[in-house]
Amino acid sequence: MEHKLPPLPYAMDALDPHISKETLEYHYGKHHANYIAHVNKAIPGTKFADMTLEQIVMQSTGGLFDYAAQCWNHSFYWNSMSPKGGGEPKGELAAAINKTFGSFSKFKDEFILVAASLFGSGWVWLVKETDGKLGLEISSNAGTPIKNGKKPLITCDVWEHAYYIDYRNLRTAYVDAWFQVANWDFAAANYK
Ligand code: FE
């Protein structure tokens, strides 16, 4: 089965000025597309040939895992942002964030701190842990919480390719901008 680059859920310039059109042209149009191409090249004639992307992520290791997980993570990341995003979550998710972190503002500070502390490339996730509590999780490179049975709610890609065009070396400025477009409706739907 051939895997396809899923459509971006908004126009390339829809997140501007927080995330530029040029960044999405490269990040979605080149990086994500390249991960898909690698998966399609690797799976013919193997036990992975007819699996869904998520099945490949769960059952593969090594290079195939890296490419498949990057495909999965990026699809999740595009949905973690929206031109109508930003602000704060509402309802049950807001209550859970307040319970775990004290307030949305404290959660945001901690999220940015965790993102800044990640050495090298990776992802920052708000997850529902296996015991149902909320947690912040870092994954290096292609790491993904679904591999450990955790439920991702929202993610920020902190690979340099996600921000170097717009923010150069200023990762924290990028994560702050990510909060301006963070899709809390998506996170709330995942939390349910
Ligand atoms: Fe990326």
Side-chain angles (χ1 to χ4, degrees):
M1 156 166 95
E2 192 181 334
H3 296 271
K4 296 226 160 60
L5 182 64
L8 196 63
Y10 32 76
M12 289 276 195
D13 61 358
L15 303 179
D16 194 79
H18 309 292
I19 310 280
S20 70
K21 183 181 176 195
E22 188 182 0
T23 289
L24 288 185
E25 282 169 351
Y26 277 83
H27 196 181
Y28 169 78
K30 306 273 186 205
H31 290 273
H32 191 175
N34 182 51
Y35 295 135
I36 298 267
H38 268 93
V39 169
N40 284 327
K41 207 173 151 191
I43 60 175
T46 72
K47 66 171 181 175
F48 303 104
D50 295 316
M51 289 186 188
T52 64
L53 194 61
E54 189 161 336
Q55 286 170 331
I56 298 174
V57 170
M58 298 308 286
Q59 296 181 42
S60 63
T61 55
L64 179 57
F65 167 79
D66 287 340
Y67 286 116
Q70 280 297 78
C71 293
W72 196 92
N73 289 351
H74 279 88
S75 294
F76 197 85
Y77 171 66
W78 308 131
N79 284 298
S80 294
M81 301 182 290
S82 163
K84 293 177 185 151
E88 297 186 13
K90 300 181 194 85
E92 283 176 49
L93 178 60
I97 285 175
N98 289 341
K99 193 178 167 196
T100 305
F101 300 95
S103 67
F104 180 76
S105 163
K106 284 183 183 162
F107 158 76
K108 183 179 172 185
D109 289 346
E110 201 171 321
F111 192 102
I112 291 174
L113 208 66
V114 163
S117 75
L118 169 64
F119 186 80
S121 297
W123 302 80
V124 182
W125 308 80
L126 176 65
V127 298
K128 196 195 235 181
E129 308 274 4
T130 45
D131 62 5
K133 289 182 183 152
L134 291 187
L136 278 177
E137 177 144 323
I138 286 179
S139 65
S140 287
N141 299 321
T144 186
I146 61 170
K147 194 87 172 176
N148 308 319
K150 297 178 181 181
K151 186 155 181 42
L153 306 182
I154 197 165
T155 193
C156 182
D157 183 345
V158 290
W159 282 57
E160 282 186 350
H161 66 220
Y163 61 87
Y164 224 81
I165 291 171
D166 297 330
Y167 299 96
R168 299 298 174 193
N169 58 321
L170 302 177
R171 185 188 283 178
T172 297
Y174 154 69
V175 179
D176 203 61
W178 176 88
F179 269 93
Q180 304 299 313
V181 291
N183 187 349
W184 295 113
D185 290 341
F186 176 66
N190 292 324
Y191 182 68
K192 283 217 159 94

PDB file of all heavy atoms in Angstrom, residues 8-27:
ATOM      1  N   LEU A   8      -2.340  19.256   3.937  1.00  0.00           N
ATOM      2  CA  LEU A   8      -2.168  20.199   5.039  1.00  0.00           C
ATOM      3  C   LEU A   8      -3.561  20.743   5.400  1.00  0.00           C
ATOM      4  O   LEU A   8      -4.322  21.095   4.503  1.00  0.00           O
ATOM      5  CB  LEU A   8      -1.249  21.335   4.559  1.00  0.00           C
ATOM      6  CG  LEU A   8      -0.609  22.239   5.604  1.00  0.00           C
ATOM      7  CD1 LEU A   8       0.339  21.472   6.518  1.00  0.00           C
ATOM      8  CD2 LEU A   8       0.156  23.371   4.910  1.00  0.00           C
ATOM      9  N   PRO A   9      -3.918  20.786   6.695  1.00  0.00           N
ATOM     10  CA  PRO A   9      -5.297  21.183   7.040  1.00  0.00           C
ATOM     11  C   PRO A   9      -5.607  22.673   6.880  1.00  0.00           C
ATOM     12  O   PRO A   9      -6.660  23.126   7.326  1.00  0.00           O
ATOM     13  CB  PRO A   9      -5.446  20.731   8.508  1.00  0.00           C
ATOM     14  CG  PRO A   9      -4.083  20.449   9.010  1.00  0.00           C
ATOM     15  CD  PRO A   9      -3.154  20.302   7.850  1.00  0.00           C
ATOM     16  N   TYR A  10      -4.699  23.427   6.273  1.00  0.00           N
ATOM     17  CA  TYR A  10      -4.911  24.864   6.022  1.00  0.00           C
ATOM     18  C   TYR A  10      -3.977  25.266   4.892  1.00  0.00           C
ATOM     19  O   TYR A  10      -3.117  24.476   4.480  1.00  0.00           O
ATOM     20  CB  TYR A  10      -4.638  25.689   7.286  1.00  0.00           C
ATOM     21  CG  TYR A  10      -3.568  25.098   8.167  1.00  0.00           C
ATOM     22  CD1 TYR A  10      -2.220  25.209   7.832  1.00  0.00           C
ATOM     23  CD2 TYR A  10      -3.902  24.372   9.308  1.00  0.00           C
ATOM     24  CE1 TYR A  10      -1.238  24.634   8.616  1.00  0.00           C
ATOM     25  CE2 TYR A  10      -2.919  23.781  10.102  1.00  0.00           C
ATOM     26  CZ  TYR A  10      -1.594  23.921   9.749  1.00  0.00           C
ATOM     27  OH  TYR A  10      -0.626  23.327  10.515  1.00  0.00           O
ATOM     28  N   ALA A  11      -4.141  26.501   4.413  1.00  0.00           N
ATOM     29  CA  ALA A  11      -3.272  26.986   3.331  1.00  0.00           C
ATOM     30  C   ALA A  11      -1.849  27.199   3.857  1.00  0.00           C
ATOM     31  O   ALA A  11      -1.644  27.392   5.053  1.00  0.00           O
ATOM     32  CB  ALA A  11      -3.826  28.293   2.781  1.00  0.00           C
ATOM     33  N   MET A  12      -0.894  27.165   2.942  1.00  0.00           N
ATOM     34  CA  MET A  12       0.523  27.311   3.305  1.00  0.00           C
ATOM     35  C   MET A  12       0.815  28.626   4.045  1.00  0.00           C
ATOM     36  O   MET A  12       1.723  28.695   4.856  1.00  0.00           O
ATOM     37  CB  MET A  12       1.400  27.277   2.043  1.00  0.00           C
ATOM     38  CG  MET A  12       1.486  25.906   1.408  1.00  0.00           C
ATOM     39  SD  MET A  12       2.761  24.887   2.185  1.00  0.00           S
ATOM     40  CE  MET A  12       2.879  23.590   0.939  1.00  0.00           C
ATOM     41  N   ASP A  13       0.027  29.677   3.705  1.00  0.00           N
ATOM     42  CA  ASP A  13       0.297  30.977   4.344  1.00  0.00           C
ATOM     43  C   ASP A  13      -0.645  31.261   5.521  1.00  0.00           C
ATOM     44  O   ASP A  13      -0.646  32.363   6.056  1.00  0.00           O
ATOM     45  CB  ASP A  13       0.201  32.107   3.309  1.00  0.00           C
ATOM     46  CG  ASP A  13      -1.188  32.210   2.686  1.00  0.00           C
ATOM     47  OD1 ASP A  13      -2.065  31.386   3.016  1.00  0.00           O
ATOM     48  OD2 ASP A  13      -1.399  33.119   1.854  1.00  0.00           O
ATOM     49  N   ALA A  14      -1.418  30.238   5.930  1.00  0.00           N
ATOM     50  CA  ALA A  14      -2.480  30.477   6.923  1.00  0.00           C
ATOM     51  C   ALA A  14      -1.949  30.750   8.334  1.00  0.00           C
ATOM     52  O   ALA A  14      -2.657  31.341   9.146  1.00  0.00           O
ATOM     53  CB  ALA A  14      -3.439  29.288   6.957  1.00  0.00           C
ATOM     54  N   LEU A  15      -0.738  30.312   8.629  1.00  0.00           N
ATOM     55  CA  LEU A  15      -0.216  30.491   9.994  1.00  0.00           C
ATOM     56  C   LEU A  15       0.706  31.709  10.102  1.00  0.00           C
ATOM     57  O   LEU A  15       1.234  32.007  11.166  1.00  0.00           O
ATOM     58  CB  LEU A  15       0.536  29.231  10.455  1.00  0.00           C
ATOM     59  CG  LEU A  15      -0.262  27.931  10.422  1.00  0.00           C
ATOM     60  CD1 LEU A  15       0.611  26.766  10.891  1.00  0.00           C
ATOM     61  CD2 LEU A  15      -1.520  28.016  11.271  1.00  0.00           C
ATOM     62  N   ASP A  16       0.883  32.377   8.972  1.00  0.00           N
ATOM     63  CA  ASP A  16       1.706  33.574   8.923  1.00  0.00           C
ATOM     64  C   ASP A  16       1.076  34.660   9.802  1.00  0.00           C
ATOM     65  O   ASP A  16      -0.147  34.790   9.798  1.00  0.00           O
ATOM     66  CB  ASP A  16       1.775  34.036   7.450  1.00  0.00           C
ATOM     67  CG  ASP A  16       2.857  35.054   7.216  1.00  0.00           C
ATOM     68  OD1 ASP A  16       4.019  34.654   7.106  1.00  0.00           O
ATOM     69  OD2 ASP A  16       2.513  36.250   7.170  1.00  0.00           O
ATOM     70  N   PRO A  17       1.796  35.451  10.556  1.00  0.00           N
ATOM     71  CA  PRO A  17       3.265  35.576  10.593  1.00  0.00           C
ATOM     72  C   PRO A  17       3.949  34.665  11.613  1.00  0.00           C
ATOM     73  O   PRO A  17       5.168  34.727  11.751  1.00  0.00           O
ATOM     74  CB  PRO A  17       3.444  37.041  11.011  1.00  0.00           C
ATOM     75  CG  PRO A  17       2.319  37.279  11.971  1.00  0.00           C
ATOM     76  CD  PRO A  17       1.157  36.446  11.446  1.00  0.00           C
ATOM     77  N   HIS A  18       3.182  33.850  12.324  1.00  0.00           N
ATOM     78  CA  HIS A  18       3.795  33.036  13.392  1.00  0.00           C
ATOM     79  C   HIS A  18       4.671  31.940  12.801  1.00  0.00           C
ATOM     80  O   HIS A  18       5.788  31.693  13.264  1.00  0.00           O
ATOM     81  CB  HIS A  18       2.701  32.454  14.285  1.00  0.00           C
ATOM     82  CG  HIS A  18       1.750  33.501  14.769  1.00  0.00           C
ATOM     83  ND1 HIS A  18       2.138  34.474  15.645  1.00  0.00           N
ATOM     84  CD2 HIS A  18       0.445  33.766  14.444  1.00  0.00           C
ATOM     85  CE1 HIS A  18       1.112  35.289  15.872  1.00  0.00           C
ATOM     86  NE2 HIS A  18       0.080  34.881  15.158  1.00  0.00           N
ATOM     87  N   ILE A  19       4.135  31.247  11.785  1.00  0.00           N
ATOM     88  CA  ILE A  19       4.889  30.237  11.039  1.00  0.00           C
ATOM     89  C   ILE A  19       4.710  30.636   9.570  1.00  0.00           C
ATOM     90  O   ILE A  19       3.583  30.666   9.074  1.00  0.00           O
ATOM     91  CB  ILE A  19       4.309  28.816  11.243  1.00  0.00           C
ATOM     92  CG1 ILE A  19       4.113  28.487  12.735  1.00  0.00           C
ATOM     93  CG2 ILE A  19       5.155  27.772  10.522  1.00  0.00           C
ATOM     94  CD1 ILE A  19       5.325  28.069  13.502  1.00  0.00           C
ATOM     95  N   SER A  20       5.806  30.927   8.880  1.00  0.00           N
ATOM     96  CA  SER A  20       5.696  31.509   7.541  1.00  0.00           C
ATOM     97  C   SER A  20       5.339  30.473   6.476  1.00  0.00           C
ATOM     98  O   SER A  20       5.518  29.264   6.660  1.00  0.00           O
ATOM     99  CB  SER A  20       7.012  32.184   7.156  1.00  0.00           C
ATOM    100  OG  SER A  20       8.005  31.184   6.946  1.00  0.00           O
ATOM    101  N   LYS A  21       4.866  30.989   5.348  1.00  0.00           N
ATOM    102  CA  LYS A  21       4.598  30.167   4.176  1.00  0.00           C
ATOM    103  C   LYS A  21       5.875  29.426   3.737  1.00  0.00           C
ATOM    104  O   LYS A  21       5.834  28.245   3.396  1.00  0.00           O
ATOM    105  CB  LYS A  21       4.096  31.078   3.052  1.00  0.00           C
ATOM    106  CG  LYS A  21       3.713  30.365   1.795  1.00  0.00           C
ATOM    107  CD  LYS A  21       3.259  31.369   0.732  1.00  0.00           C
ATOM    108  CE  LYS A  21       2.966  30.655  -0.561  1.00  0.00           C
ATOM    109  NZ  LYS A  21       2.875  31.563  -1.702  1.00  0.00           N
ATOM    110  N   GLU A  22       6.997  30.124   3.762  1.00  0.00           N
ATOM    111  CA  GLU A  22       8.256  29.497   3.332  1.00  0.00           C
ATOM    112  C   GLU A  22       8.615  28.314   4.235  1.00  0.00           C
ATOM    113  O   GLU A  22       9.045  27.262   3.760  1.00  0.00           O
ATOM    114  CB  GLU A  22       9.400  30.528   3.325  1.00  0.00           C
ATOM    115  CG  GLU A  22      10.668  29.965   2.705  1.00  0.00           C
ATOM    116  CD  GLU A  22      11.843  30.942   2.723  1.00  0.00           C
ATOM    117  OE1 GLU A  22      11.707  32.071   3.218  1.00  0.00           O
ATOM    118  OE2 GLU A  22      12.911  30.536   2.235  1.00  0.00           O
ATOM    119  N   THR A  23       8.401  28.489   5.543  1.00  0.00           N
ATOM    120  CA  THR A  23       8.671  27.373   6.465  1.00  0.00           C
ATOM    121  C   THR A  23       7.790  26.175   6.115  1.00  0.00           C
ATOM    122  O   THR A  23       8.273  25.040   6.041  1.00  0.00           O
ATOM    123  CB  THR A  23       8.440  27.803   7.931  1.00  0.00           C
ATOM    124  OG1 THR A  23       9.490  28.690   8.302  1.00  0.00           O
ATOM    125  CG2 THR A  23       8.444  26.611   8.884  1.00  0.00           C
ATOM    126  N   LEU A  24       6.493  26.416   5.887  1.00  0.00           N
ATOM    127  CA  LEU A  24       5.596  25.290   5.588  1.00  0.00           C
ATOM    128  C   LEU A  24       5.926  24.671   4.227  1.00  0.00           C
ATOM    129  O   LEU A  24       5.805  23.463   4.053  1.00  0.00           O
ATOM    130  CB  LEU A  24       4.128  25.717   5.656  1.00  0.00           C
ATOM    131  CG  LEU A  24       3.605  25.986   7.066  1.00  0.00           C
ATOM    132  CD1 LEU A  24       2.118  26.275   7.041  1.00  0.00           C
ATOM    133  CD2 LEU A  24       3.880  24.818   8.008  1.00  0.00           C
ATOM    134  N   GLU A  25       6.337  25.503   3.278  1.00  0.00           N
ATOM    135  CA  GLU A  25       6.711  24.956   1.966  1.00  0.00           C
ATOM    136  C   GLU A  25       7.859  23.952   2.106  1.00  0.00           C
ATOM    137  O   GLU A  25       7.864  22.914   1.448  1.00  0.00           O
ATOM    138  CB  GLU A  25       7.092  26.086   1.002  1.00  0.00           C
ATOM    139  CG  GLU A  25       5.869  26.786   0.437  1.00  0.00           C
ATOM    140  CD  GLU A  25       6.190  28.071  -0.317  1.00  0.00           C
ATOM    141  OE1 GLU A  25       7.350  28.533  -0.266  1.00  0.00           O
ATOM    142  OE2 GLU A  25       5.266  28.612  -0.939  1.00  0.00           O
ATOM    143  N   TYR A  26       8.815  24.271   2.970  1.00  0.00           N
ATOM    144  CA  TYR A  26       9.941  23.351   3.187  1.00  0.00           C
ATOM    145  C   TYR A  26       9.581  22.228   4.151  1.00  0.00           C
ATOM    146  O   TYR A  26       9.856  21.054   3.894  1.00  0.00           O
ATOM    147  CB  TYR A  26      11.166  24.121   3.687  1.00  0.00           C
ATOM    148  CG  TYR A  26      11.934  24.745   2.551  1.00  0.00           C
ATOM    149  CD1 TYR A  26      11.546  25.970   2.006  1.00  0.00           C
ATOM    150  CD2 TYR A  26      13.028  24.089   1.987  1.00  0.00           C
ATOM    151  CE1 TYR A  26      12.228  26.535   0.948  1.00  0.00           C
ATOM    152  CE2 TYR A  26      13.717  24.652   0.919  1.00  0.00           C
ATOM    153  CZ  TYR A  26      13.318  25.873   0.401  1.00  0.00           C
ATOM    154  OH  TYR A  26      13.997  26.415  -0.658  1.00  0.00           O
ATOM    155  N   HIS A  27       8.955  22.613   5.269  1.00  0.00           N
ATOM    156  CA  HIS A  27       8.732  21.634   6.339  1.00  0.00           C
ATOM    157  C   HIS A  27       7.718  20.570   5.914  1.00  0.00           C
ATOM    158  O   HIS A  27       7.945  19.371   6.076  1.00  0.00           O
ATOM    159  CB  HIS A  27       8.259  22.382   7.593  1.00  0.00           C
ATOM    160  CG  HIS A  27       8.343  21.593   8.847  1.00  0.00           C
ATOM    161  ND1 HIS A  27       7.944  22.095  10.052  1.00  0.00           N
ATOM    162  CD2 HIS A  27       8.776  20.332   9.105  1.00  0.00           C
ATOM    163  CE1 HIS A  27       8.135  21.177  10.983  1.00  0.00           C
ATOM    164  NE2 HIS A  27       8.622  20.100  10.434  1.00  0.00           N
TER     165      HIS A  27
END
